[in-house]
Coordinates of all heavy atoms in Angstrom, one line a residue:
M1 N -5.6 -1.9 12.7 CA -6.2 -3.1 12.4 C -5.3 -4.2 12.9 O -4.1 -4.3 12.6 CB -6.4 -3.2 10.9 CG -6.7 -4.6 10.4 SD -7.1 -4.7 8.7 CE -8.8 -4.1 8.8
R2 N -5.9 -5.2 13.6 CA -5.2 -6.3 14.1 C -5.0 -7.4 13.0 O -6.0 -7.7 12.4 CB -5.9 -7.0 15.3 CG -5.8 -6.2 16.6 CD -5.0 -7.0 17.6 NE -4.5 -6.1 18.6 CZ -3.2 -5.8 18.8 NH1 -2.3 -6.3 18.0 NH2 -2.9 -5.0 19.8
T3 N -3.8 -7.9 12.9 CA -3.6 -9.0 11.9 C -2.7 -10.0 12.6 O -2.3 -9.9 13.8 CB -2.8 -8.5 10.7 OG1 -1.5 -8.1 11.1 CG2 -3.5 -7.2 10.1
S4 N -2.5 -11.1 11.9 CA -1.7 -12.2 12.5 C -0.2 -11.8 12.7 O 0.5 -12.4 13.5 CB -1.8 -13.5 11.6 OG -1.2 -13.2 10.4
I5 N 0.3 -10.8 12.0 CA 1.7 -10.4 12.2 C 1.8 -9.2 13.1 O 2.9 -8.8 13.5 CB 2.3 -10.0 10.8 CG1 1.7 -8.8 10.2 CG2 2.3 -11.2 9.9 CD1 2.4 -8.3 9.0
G6 N 0.7 -8.7 13.6 CA 0.7 -7.5 14.5 C -0.3 -6.5 14.1 O -1.1 -6.7 13.2
R7 N -0.3 -5.4 14.8 CA -1.3 -4.3 14.6 C -0.7 -3.4 13.5 O 0.4 -2.8 13.6 CB -1.5 -3.5 15.8 CG -2.5 -2.4 15.6 CD -3.0 -1.8 16.9 NE -3.9 -0.8 16.7 CZ -5.2 -0.9 16.4 NH1 -5.7 -2.1 16.3 NH2 -6.0 0.1 16.2
I8 N -1.5 -3.2 12.4 CA -1.1 -2.3 11.3 C -1.9 -1.0 11.5 O -3.2 -1.1 11.6 CB -1.3 -2.9 10.0 CG1 -0.4 -4.1 9.8 CG2 -1.1 -1.9 8.8 CD1 -0.6 -4.9 8.5
D9 N -1.2 0.1 11.5 CA -1.9 1.4 11.6 C -1.4 2.4 10.6 O -0.2 2.3 10.2 CB -1.6 2.0 13.0 CG -2.3 1.3 14.1 OD1 -3.6 1.1 14.0 OD2 -1.6 0.8 15.0
P10 N -2.2 3.3 10.1 CA -1.7 4.3 9.2 C -1.0 5.4 10.0 O -1.3 5.5 11.2 CB -3.0 4.9 8.6 CG -4.1 4.6 9.5 CD -3.7 3.3 10.2
A11 N -0.1 6.1 9.4 CA 0.7 7.1 10.1 C 0.9 8.3 9.2 O 0.8 8.1 8.0 CB 2.0 6.5 10.6
E12 N 1.3 9.4 9.7 CA 1.6 10.6 8.9 C 3.0 10.5 8.4 O 3.9 10.3 9.2 CB 1.4 11.8 9.7 CG 1.5 13.1 8.9 CD 0.3 13.3 8.0 OE1 -0.8 12.9 8.4 OE2 0.5 13.9 7.0
G13 N 3.2 10.6 7.1 CA 4.5 10.6 6.5 C 4.9 11.9 6.0 O 4.2 12.9 6.3
R14 N 6.0 12.0 5.3 CA 6.5 13.3 4.8 C 5.7 13.8 3.6 O 5.2 13.0 2.8 CB 7.9 13.2 4.3 CG 8.9 12.9 5.4 CD 10.3 12.8 4.9 NE 11.1 12.1 5.8 CZ 12.4 12.1 5.7 NH1 13.0 12.7 4.8 NH2 13.1 11.4 6.6
G15 N 5.5 15.1 3.5 CA 4.9 15.7 2.3 C 3.5 15.2 2.1 O 3.1 14.9 1.0
Y16 N 2.7 15.0 3.2 CA 1.3 14.6 3.1 C 1.1 13.2 2.6 O 0.0 12.7 2.3 CB 0.4 15.5 2.2 CG 0.5 16.9 2.7 CD1 1.2 17.9 2.0 CD2 -0.2 17.3 3.8 CE1 1.2 19.2 2.4 CE2 -0.2 18.6 4.3 CZ 0.5 19.6 3.6 OH 0.6 20.9 4.0
K17 N 2.2 12.4 2.6 CA 2.1 11.0 2.2 C 1.7 10.2 3.4 O 2.0 10.6 4.5 CB 3.5 10.5 1.6 CG 4.0 11.3 0.5 CD 3.2 11.0 -0.8 CE 3.8 11.5 -2.0 NZ 3.5 12.8 -2.4
R18 N 1.0 9.1 3.2 CA 0.7 8.2 4.3 C 1.8 7.2 4.5 O 2.5 6.8 3.6 CB -0.6 7.5 4.0 CG -1.8 8.4 3.8 CD -2.1 9.3 5.0 NE -2.6 8.5 6.1 CZ -2.8 8.9 7.3 NH1 -2.5 10.2 7.6 NH2 -3.3 8.2 8.2
A19 N 2.0 6.8 5.8 CA 3.0 5.8 6.1 C 2.2 4.7 6.9 O 1.0 4.9 7.2 CB 4.0 6.4 7.0
I20 N 2.9 3.6 7.1 CA 2.3 2.5 7.8 C 3.2 2.1 8.9 O 4.4 2.1 8.8 CB 2.1 1.3 6.8 CG1 1.2 1.7 5.7 CG2 1.7 0.0 7.5 CD1 1.2 0.8 4.5
K21 N 2.5 1.7 10.0 CA 3.3 1.2 11.2 C 2.8 -0.2 11.5 O 1.6 -0.5 11.4 CB 3.1 2.1 12.4 CG 3.7 3.5 12.3 CD 3.6 4.2 13.6 CE 4.4 5.5 13.5 NZ 4.5 6.3 14.7
L22 N 3.7 -1.0 11.9 CA 3.4 -2.4 12.4 C 3.8 -2.4 13.9 O 5.0 -2.2 14.2 CB 4.2 -3.4 11.6 CG 4.0 -4.9 12.1 CD1 2.5 -5.3 11.9 CD2 4.9 -5.8 11.3
D23 N 2.9 -2.6 14.8 CA 3.1 -2.6 16.2 C 3.8 -1.3 16.7 O 4.7 -1.4 17.5 CB 3.8 -3.8 16.7 CG 2.9 -5.1 16.6 OD1 1.7 -5.0 16.7 OD2 3.5 -6.2 16.4
G24 N 3.5 -0.2 16.1 CA 4.0 1.1 16.5 C 5.4 1.4 15.8 O 5.9 2.5 16.0
K25 N 5.9 0.5 15.0 CA 7.2 0.8 14.3 C 7.0 1.0 12.9 O 6.2 0.3 12.2 CB 8.1 -0.4 14.5 CG 8.5 -0.7 15.9 CD 9.4 -2.0 16.0 CE 9.6 -2.3 17.5 NZ 10.1 -3.6 17.7
P26 N 7.6 2.1 12.3 CA 7.4 2.4 10.9 C 7.8 1.2 10.0 O 8.8 0.6 10.2 CB 8.3 3.6 10.6 CG 8.8 4.1 12.0 CD 8.6 3.0 12.9
V27 N 7.1 1.0 8.9 CA 7.4 0.1 7.9 C 8.0 0.9 6.7 O 7.4 1.8 6.2 CB 6.1 -0.7 7.4 CG1 6.4 -1.6 6.2 CG2 5.5 -1.5 8.6
L28 N 9.2 0.5 6.3 CA 9.9 1.1 5.2 C 9.2 0.7 3.9 O 9.4 -0.4 3.4 CB 11.4 0.8 5.2 CG 12.2 1.5 4.2 CD1 12.1 3.0 4.3 CD2 13.6 1.0 4.3
L29 N 8.5 1.6 3.3 CA 7.8 1.3 2.0 C 8.8 1.6 0.8 O 9.6 2.5 0.9 CB 6.6 2.2 1.8 CG 5.5 2.0 2.9 CD1 4.3 3.0 2.6 CD2 5.0 0.6 2.9
P30 N 8.6 0.8 -0.3 CA 9.4 1.1 -1.5 C 9.0 2.5 -2.0 O 7.9 2.9 -1.8 CB 9.0 0.1 -2.5 CG 8.2 -1.0 -1.7 CD 7.8 -0.3 -0.4
A31 N 10.0 3.2 -2.6 CA 9.8 4.6 -3.0 C 8.6 4.7 -4.0 O 7.8 5.6 -3.9 CB 11.0 5.1 -3.7
E32 N 8.4 3.7 -4.9 CA 7.3 3.7 -5.8 C 6.0 3.6 -5.2 O 4.9 3.9 -5.8 CB 7.5 2.7 -6.9 CG 7.4 1.3 -6.5 CD 8.8 0.7 -6.0 OE1 9.8 1.4 -5.9 OE2 8.8 -0.5 -5.8
A33 N 5.9 3.1 -3.9 CA 4.6 2.9 -3.2 C 4.2 4.1 -2.4 O 3.2 4.1 -1.7 CB 4.7 1.6 -2.4
H34 N 5.1 5.1 -2.3 CA 4.7 6.3 -1.5 C 3.6 7.1 -2.2 O 3.7 7.4 -3.4 CB 5.9 7.2 -1.4 CG 7.0 6.7 -0.5 ND1 8.1 7.4 -0.1 CD2 7.1 5.5 0.1 CE1 8.8 6.7 0.7 NE2 8.3 5.5 0.8
S35 N 2.5 7.3 -1.4 CA 1.4 8.0 -2.0 C 0.5 8.5 -0.9 O 0.7 8.2 0.3 CB 0.6 7.0 -2.8 OG 0.0 6.0 -2.0
V36 N -0.5 9.3 -1.3 CA -1.6 9.6 -0.4 C -2.6 8.5 -0.7 O -3.1 8.3 -1.7 CB -2.2 11.0 -0.8 CG1 -3.4 11.3 0.1 CG2 -1.1 12.1 -0.7
I37 N -2.8 7.7 0.4 CA -3.7 6.6 0.3 C -5.1 6.9 0.2 O -5.6 7.7 1.0 CB -3.4 5.6 1.4 CG1 -2.0 5.1 1.4 CG2 -4.4 4.4 1.4 CD1 -1.6 4.2 2.6
G38 N -5.8 6.4 -0.8 CA -7.3 6.6 -0.9 C -8.1 5.6 -0.1 O -8.7 5.9 0.9
F39 N -8.0 4.4 -0.6 CA -8.7 3.3 0.1 C -8.1 2.0 -0.3 O -7.3 1.9 -1.2 CB -10.2 3.3 -0.1 CG -10.6 2.8 -1.5 CD1 -10.8 1.5 -1.8 CD2 -10.6 3.7 -2.6 CE1 -11.1 1.0 -3.1 CE2 -10.9 3.3 -3.9 CZ -11.2 1.9 -4.1
G40 N -8.4 1.0 0.5 CA -7.8 -0.3 0.2 C -8.3 -1.4 1.0 O -9.2 -1.2 1.8
K41 N -7.7 -2.6 0.9 CA -8.0 -3.8 1.7 C -6.8 -4.4 2.2 O -5.7 -4.3 1.7 CB -8.8 -4.8 0.8 CG -10.1 -4.3 0.3 CD -10.9 -5.4 -0.4 CE -12.2 -4.9 -0.8 NZ -13.0 -6.0 -1.5
V42 N -7.0 -5.2 3.3 CA -5.9 -5.9 3.9 C -6.3 -7.4 3.8 O -7.4 -7.8 4.0 CB -5.8 -5.6 5.4 CG1 -4.8 -6.4 6.1 CG2 -5.5 -4.1 5.6
Y43 N -5.3 -8.2 3.4 CA -5.4 -9.6 3.2 C -4.4 -10.3 4.1 O -3.2 -10.1 4.0 CB -5.2 -10.1 1.8 CG -6.2 -9.4 0.8 CD1 -6.0 -8.2 0.3 CD2 -7.4 -10.1 0.6 CE1 -7.0 -7.6 -0.6 CE2 -8.4 -9.5 -0.3 CZ -8.1 -8.3 -0.8 OH -9.1 -7.7 -1.6
D44 N -4.9 -11.1 5.1 CA -4.0 -11.7 6.1 C -3.8 -13.2 5.7 O -4.7 -14.0 5.6 CB -4.7 -11.7 7.4 CG -3.8 -12.0 8.6 OD1 -2.8 -12.7 8.4 OD2 -4.1 -11.5 9.7
F45 N -2.5 -13.5 5.5 CA -2.1 -14.9 5.1 C -1.4 -15.6 6.2 O -0.8 -16.7 5.9 CB -1.2 -14.8 3.8 CG -1.8 -14.1 2.7 CD1 -1.4 -12.9 2.2 CD2 -2.9 -14.8 2.0 CE1 -2.0 -12.3 1.2 CE2 -3.5 -14.1 0.9 CZ -3.0 -12.9 0.5
G46 N -1.5 -15.1 7.4 CA -0.9 -15.8 8.5 C 0.5 -15.4 8.8 O 0.8 -14.7 9.8
S47 N 1.5 -15.7 7.9 CA 2.8 -15.2 8.1 C 3.2 -13.9 7.4 O 4.3 -13.4 7.5 CB 3.8 -16.3 7.6 OG 3.6 -16.5 6.2
A48 N 2.2 -13.4 6.6 CA 2.4 -12.2 5.9 C 1.0 -11.5 5.7 O 0.0 -12.2 5.8 CB 3.1 -12.4 4.6
V49 N 1.1 -10.2 5.4 CA -0.2 -9.5 5.2 C 0.0 -8.7 3.9 O 1.1 -8.0 3.7 CB -0.5 -8.5 6.3 CG1 -1.6 -7.6 6.0 CG2 -0.8 -9.3 7.6
A50 N -1.0 -8.7 3.0 CA -0.9 -7.9 1.8 C -1.9 -6.7 2.0 O -3.0 -6.8 2.4 CB -1.4 -8.7 0.6
L51 N -1.4 -5.5 1.6 CA -2.2 -4.3 1.6 C -2.4 -3.9 0.1 O -1.4 -3.7 -0.6 CB -1.5 -3.2 2.3 CG -1.0 -3.5 3.7 CD1 -0.3 -2.3 4.3 CD2 -2.2 -3.8 4.6
A52 N -3.6 -3.9 -0.3 CA -3.9 -3.5 -1.7 C -4.7 -2.2 -1.6 O -5.7 -2.1 -1.0 CB -4.7 -4.6 -2.4
Y53 N -4.2 -1.1 -2.3 CA -4.8 0.2 -2.1 C -4.6 1.0 -3.3 O -3.7 0.8 -4.1 CB -4.3 0.9 -0.9 CG -2.9 1.1 -0.8 CD1 -2.3 2.3 -1.2 CD2 -2.0 0.2 -0.2 CE1 -1.0 2.6 -1.1 CE2 -0.7 0.4 -0.1 CZ -0.1 1.6 -0.6 OH 1.2 1.8 -0.5
L54 N -5.5 2.0 -3.4 CA -5.3 3.1 -4.4 C -4.6 4.2 -3.8 O -5.0 4.6 -2.7 CB -6.7 3.5 -5.0 CG -7.5 2.5 -5.8 CD1 -8.9 3.1 -6.1 CD2 -6.7 2.1 -7.0
G55 N -3.7 4.8 -4.4 CA -2.9 5.9 -3.9 C -2.6 6.9 -4.9 O -2.2 6.6 -6.0
E56 N -2.7 8.2 -4.6 CA -2.3 9.2 -5.5 C -0.8 9.6 -5.2 O -0.4 10.0 -4.2 CB -3.1 10.5 -5.3 CG -2.9 11.6 -6.3 CD -3.8 12.8 -6.0 OE1 -4.9 12.6 -5.5 OE2 -3.3 13.9 -6.5
R57 N 0.0 9.3 -6.3 CA 1.4 9.6 -6.2 C 1.7 10.9 -6.9 O 0.8 11.5 -7.5 CB 2.3 8.5 -6.9 CG 2.0 7.1 -6.2 CD 2.7 6.0 -6.8 NE 2.7 6.0 -8.2 CZ 3.7 5.5 -9.0 NH1 4.8 5.1 -8.5 NH2 3.6 5.6 -10.3
D58 N 2.9 11.5 -6.8 CA 3.2 12.8 -7.3 C 2.9 12.9 -8.8 O 2.4 13.9 -9.3 CB 4.7 13.1 -7.1 CG 5.0 13.4 -5.7 OD1 4.1 13.7 -4.9 OD2 6.2 13.3 -5.3
E59 N 3.1 11.8 -9.5 CA 2.8 11.8 -11.0 C 1.4 11.5 -11.4 O 1.0 11.5 -12.6 CB 3.8 10.9 -11.7 CG 3.7 9.4 -11.3 CD 4.7 9.1 -10.1 OE1 5.1 10.0 -9.4 OE2 5.0 7.9 -10.0
D60 N 0.5 11.2 -10.4 CA -0.9 10.8 -10.7 C -1.8 12.0 -10.5 O -1.4 13.0 -9.9 CB -1.3 9.7 -9.7 CG -0.6 8.4 -9.8 OD1 0.0 8.1 -10.8 OD2 -0.6 7.7 -8.8
S61 N -3.0 11.9 -11.0 CA -4.0 12.9 -10.7 C -5.0 12.2 -9.8 O -5.0 11.0 -9.7 CB -4.7 13.3 -12.0 OG -5.5 12.2 -12.5
S62 N -5.8 12.9 -9.1 CA -6.8 12.3 -8.2 C -7.8 11.5 -9.0 O -8.4 10.6 -8.4 CB -7.5 13.4 -7.4 OG -8.1 14.4 -8.2
A63 N -8.0 11.8 -10.2 CA -8.9 11.1 -11.1 C -8.3 9.7 -11.5 O -9.1 8.8 -11.8 CB -9.3 11.9 -12.3
R64 N -7.0 9.6 -11.5 CA -6.3 8.4 -11.9 C -5.3 8.0 -10.9 O -4.1 8.1 -11.2 CB -5.8 8.5 -13.3 CG -6.9 8.7 -14.4 CD -6.3 8.5 -15.7 NE -5.8 7.1 -15.8 CZ -5.7 6.5 -17.0 NH1 -5.9 7.2 -18.1 NH2 -5.2 5.3 -17.1
P65 N -5.6 7.5 -9.7 CA -4.6 7.1 -8.8 C -4.0 5.8 -9.2 O -4.4 5.1 -10.1 CB -5.5 6.9 -7.5 CG -6.8 6.5 -8.0 CD -7.0 7.3 -9.3
S66 N -2.8 5.5 -8.6 CA -2.1 4.3 -8.9 C -2.7 3.1 -8.0 O -3.3 3.4 -7.0 CB -0.6 4.4 -8.5 OG 0.0 5.3 -9.3
Q67 N -2.6 1.9 -8.5 CA -3.0 0.7 -7.8 C -1.7 0.1 -7.2 O -0.7 -0.1 -7.9 CB -3.6 -0.2 -8.7 CG -4.9 0.3 -9.4 CD -5.5 -0.6 -10.4 OE1 -5.8 -1.8 -10.0 NE2 -5.7 -0.2 -11.6
I68 N -1.7 0.0 -5.9 CA -0.5 -0.4 -5.2 C -0.8 -1.7 -4.3 O -1.8 -1.7 -3.7 CB 0.0 0.7 -4.3 CG1 0.3 2.0 -5.1 CG2 1.3 0.3 -3.5 CD1 0.4 3.2 -4.4
V69 N 0.1 -2.6 -4.4 CA 0.0 -3.8 -3.5 C 1.4 -4.0 -2.8 O 2.4 -4.0 -3.5 CB -0.3 -5.1 -4.3 CG1 -0.3 -6.3 -3.4 CG2 -1.6 -5.0 -5.0
I70 N 1.4 -4.1 -1.5 CA 2.6 -4.4 -0.8 C 2.3 -5.6 0.1 O 1.2 -5.7 0.7 CB 3.2 -3.2 0.0 CG1 2.1 -2.7 1.0 CG2 3.6 -2.1 -0.9 CD1 2.7 -1.6 2.0
V71 N 3.4 -6.4 0.3 CA 3.3 -7.6 1.2 C 4.3 -7.4 2.3 O 5.5 -7.2 2.1 CB 3.5 -8.9 0.5 CG1 3.4 -10.1 1.4 CG2 2.6 -9.0 -0.7
I72 N 3.8 -7.5 3.6 CA 4.6 -7.2 4.8 C 4.7 -8.5 5.6 O 3.7 -9.2 5.8 CB 4.0 -6.1 5.6 CG1 3.8 -4.8 4.8 CG2 4.9 -5.9 6.9 CD1 3.0 -3.8 5.5
N73 N 6.0 -8.9 6.0 CA 6.1 -10.0 6.9 C 6.1 -9.6 8.3 O 6.0 -8.5 8.7 CB 7.4 -10.8 6.5 CG 8.7 -10.1 6.8 OD1 8.7 -9.0 7.5 ND2 9.8 -10.5 6.3
K74 N 6.2 -10.6 9.2 CA 6.1 -10.4 10.7 C 7.2 -9.5 11.2 O 7.0 -8.8 12.2 CB 6.1 -11.7 11.4 CG 5.7 -11.6 12.9 CD 5.5 -13.0 13.5 CE 5.1 -12.8 14.9 NZ 3.7 -12.6 15.1
A75 N 8.3 -9.5 10.5 CA 9.5 -8.6 10.9 C 9.2 -7.1 10.5 O 10.0 -6.3 10.9 CB 10.8 -9.1 10.3
G76 N 8.2 -6.9 9.8 CA 7.9 -5.5 9.4 C 8.6 -5.1 8.1 O 8.6 -3.9 7.8
S77 N 9.0 -6.1 7.3 CA 9.7 -5.8 6.1 C 8.8 -6.0 4.9 O 7.9 -6.9 4.9 CB 10.9 -6.7 5.9 OG 11.9 -6.6 6.9
V78 N 8.9 -5.2 3.9 CA 8.1 -5.3 2.7 C 8.8 -6.4 1.8 O 10.0 -6.2 1.4 CB 8.0 -4.0 1.9 CG1 7.3 -4.3 0.5 CG2 7.2 -3.0 2.7
I79 N 8.2 -7.6 1.6 CA 8.8 -8.7 0.9 C 8.4 -8.7 -0.5 O 9.0 -9.5 -1.3 CB 8.6 -10.0 1.6 CG1 7.1 -10.3 1.8 CG2 9.3 -10.0 3.0 CD1 6.7 -11.6 2.4
D80 N 7.4 -8.0 -0.9 CA 7.0 -7.9 -2.3 C 6.1 -6.7 -2.5 O 5.4 -6.2 -1.6 CB 6.2 -9.2 -2.7 CG 6.1 -9.4 -4.2 OD1 6.8 -8.7 -5.0 OD2 5.3 -10.2 -4.6
S81 N 6.2 -6.1 -3.7 CA 5.3 -5.0 -4.0 C 5.1 -4.9 -5.5 O 5.9 -5.4 -6.3 CB 6.0 -3.7 -3.5 OG 7.2 -3.4 -4.2
E82 N 4.0 -4.2 -5.9 CA 3.8 -4.0 -7.3 C 3.0 -2.7 -7.3 O 2.1 -2.4 -6.5 CB 2.9 -5.1 -7.8 CG 2.7 -5.0 -9.3 CD 2.1 -6.2 -9.9 OE1 1.8 -7.2 -9.2 OE2 1.8 -6.2 -11.1
V83 N 3.3 -1.9 -8.4 CA 2.6 -0.6 -8.6 C 2.1 -0.5 -10.0 O 2.9 -0.7 -10.9 CB 3.5 0.6 -8.2 CG1 2.7 1.9 -8.6 CG2 3.9 0.6 -6.8
L84 N 0.9 -0.3 -10.2 CA 0.4 0.0 -11.6 C 0.1 1.5 -11.6 O -0.9 1.9 -11.0 CB -0.9 -0.8 -11.9 CG -1.5 -0.6 -13.3 CD1 -0.5 -1.1 -14.3 CD2 -2.8 -1.4 -13.4
P85 N 0.9 2.3 -12.2 CA 0.8 3.7 -12.2 C -0.6 4.2 -12.7 O -1.2 3.6 -13.6 CB 1.9 4.2 -13.1 CG 2.9 3.1 -13.2 CD 2.1 1.9 -13.1
G86 N -1.1 5.3 -12.1 CA -2.3 5.8 -12.6 C -2.3 6.3 -14.0 O -3.3 6.5 -14.7
T87 N -1.1 6.6 -14.5 CA -0.9 7.0 -15.9 C -0.8 5.9 -16.8 O -0.6 6.0 -18.0 CB 0.4 7.8 -16.0 OG1 1.5 7.0 -15.5 CG2 0.4 9.1 -15.2
S88 N -0.9 4.6 -16.3 CA -0.8 3.4 -17.2 C -1.9 3.4 -18.2 O -3.0 3.8 -18.0 CB -1.0 2.2 -16.3 OG -1.1 1.0 -17.1
L89 N -1.5 3.0 -19.4 CA -2.5 2.9 -20.5 C -3.4 1.7 -20.4 O -4.4 1.6 -21.1 CB -1.8 2.8 -21.9 CG -0.9 4.1 -22.2 CD1 -0.2 3.8 -23.5 CD2 -1.8 5.3 -22.3
N90 N -3.0 0.8 -19.5 CA -3.8 -0.5 -19.3 C -4.2 -0.7 -17.9 O -3.7 -1.6 -17.2 CB -2.9 -1.6 -19.8 CG -3.8 -2.8 -20.2 OD1 -5.0 -2.8 -20.2 ND2 -3.2 -3.9 -20.5
P91 N -5.0 0.2 -17.3 CA -5.3 0.1 -15.9 C -6.2 -1.2 -15.6 O -6.9 -1.7 -16.4 CB -6.1 1.3 -15.6 CG -6.7 1.7 -16.9 CD -5.7 1.3 -17.9
G92 N -6.1 -1.7 -14.4 CA -6.9 -2.8 -13.9 C -6.3 -4.1 -14.2 O -7.0 -5.1 -13.9
K93 N -5.1 -4.3 -14.7 CA -4.6 -5.6 -15.0 C -4.2 -6.4 -13.8 O -4.3 -7.6 -13.8 CB -3.3 -5.4 -15.9 CG -3.7 -5.3 -17.3 CD -4.2 -6.6 -17.8 CE -4.3 -6.5 -19.3 NZ -4.8 -7.7 -19.9
H94 N -3.7 -5.8 -12.7 CA -3.2 -6.6 -11.6 C -4.0 -6.4 -10.3 O -3.8 -7.2 -9.4 CB -1.7 -6.4 -11.4 CG -1.4 -5.3 -10.5 ND1 -1.3 -4.0 -10.9 CD2 -1.2 -5.2 -9.2 CE1 -1.0 -3.2 -9.9 NE2 -0.9 -3.9 -8.8
C95 N -4.7 -5.3 -10.1 CA -5.2 -5.0 -8.8 C -6.6 -5.4 -8.6 O -7.4 -4.7 -8.0 CB -5.0 -3.5 -8.5 SG -4.0 -3.2 -7.1
L96 N -6.9 -6.6 -9.1 CA -8.3 -7.2 -8.8 C -8.4 -7.4 -7.3 O -9.6 -7.5 -6.8 CB -8.4 -8.5 -9.6 CG -8.4 -8.3 -11.1 CD1 -8.5 -9.7 -11.7 CD2 -9.5 -7.4 -11.6
L97 N -7.4 -7.4 -6.5 CA -7.5 -7.5 -5.1 C -8.3 -6.4 -4.5 O -9.0 -6.6 -3.6 CB -6.1 -7.5 -4.5 CG -5.2 -8.7 -4.7 CD1 -3.8 -8.4 -4.1 CD2 -5.8 -9.9 -4.1
I98 N -8.2 -5.2 -5.1 CA -8.9 -4.1 -4.5 C -10.4 -4.3 -4.8 O -11.3 -3.9 -4.0 CB -8.4 -2.7 -5.1 CG1 -7.0 -2.5 -4.6 CG2 -9.3 -1.6 -4.7 CD1 -6.3 -1.3 -5.2
D99 N -10.7 -4.8 -6.0 CA -12.1 -5.0 -6.4 C -12.7 -6.1 -5.5 O -13.8 -6.2 -5.2 CB -12.2 -5.4 -7.8 CG -11.8 -4.3 -8.8 OD1 -11.8 -3.1 -8.3 OD2 -11.4 -4.6 -9.9

């Protein structure tokens, strides 16, 4: 997908986890954001891009994936992230971006 910071593509990561590339270079994701990505949305803010997605992490079940948001800058660095675990007792509090 083309964005203002470059082309973002999914890539194959370790252990069936999905990875992300920006203009062909891997983006280092925070450990808590490593997951098998289900689906999500991209929000382009010009100088940064937010990826909001549902992902199944090792501690999640496919019925209760985690809600993950990461913000990437033009340099390909994650400048902010948030994860609401699928095991959370209060799901849906922060990931209205996905809705």
Side-chain angles (χ1 to χ4, degrees):
M1 164 174 284
R2 284 244 164 251
T3 69
S4 62
I5 65 169
R7 182 170 179 79
I8 296 176
D9 291 303
E12 188 71 30
R14 294 182 198 192
Y16 302 106
K17 303 288 190 271
R18 298 300 289 172
I20 297 168
K21 289 187 176 186
L22 177 62
D23 291 331
K25 298 177 186 167
V27 173
L28 183 60
L29 298 177
E32 66 272 8
H34 289 190
S35 69
V36 176
I37 297 174
F39 71 92
K41 291 187 178 184
V42 176
Y43 298 87
D44 195 332
F45 300 109
S47 61
V49 171
L51 305 176
Y53 57 93
L54 294 176
E56 186 179 335
R57 302 180 314 146
D58 290 339
E59 57 270 24
D60 298 335
S61 70
S62 58
R64 293 195 63 161
S66 291
Q67 299 177 55
I68 303 166
V69 177
I70 59 172
V71 181
I72 304 169
N73 66 12
K74 190 169 184 84
S77 299
V78 174
I79 56 174
D80 197 10
S81 67
E82 186 174 358
V83 175
L84 182 64
T87 56
S88 172
L89 297 176
N90 201 7
K93 276 290 189 178
H94 89 276
C95 243
L96 296 176
L97 290 174
I98 294 175
D99 297 337

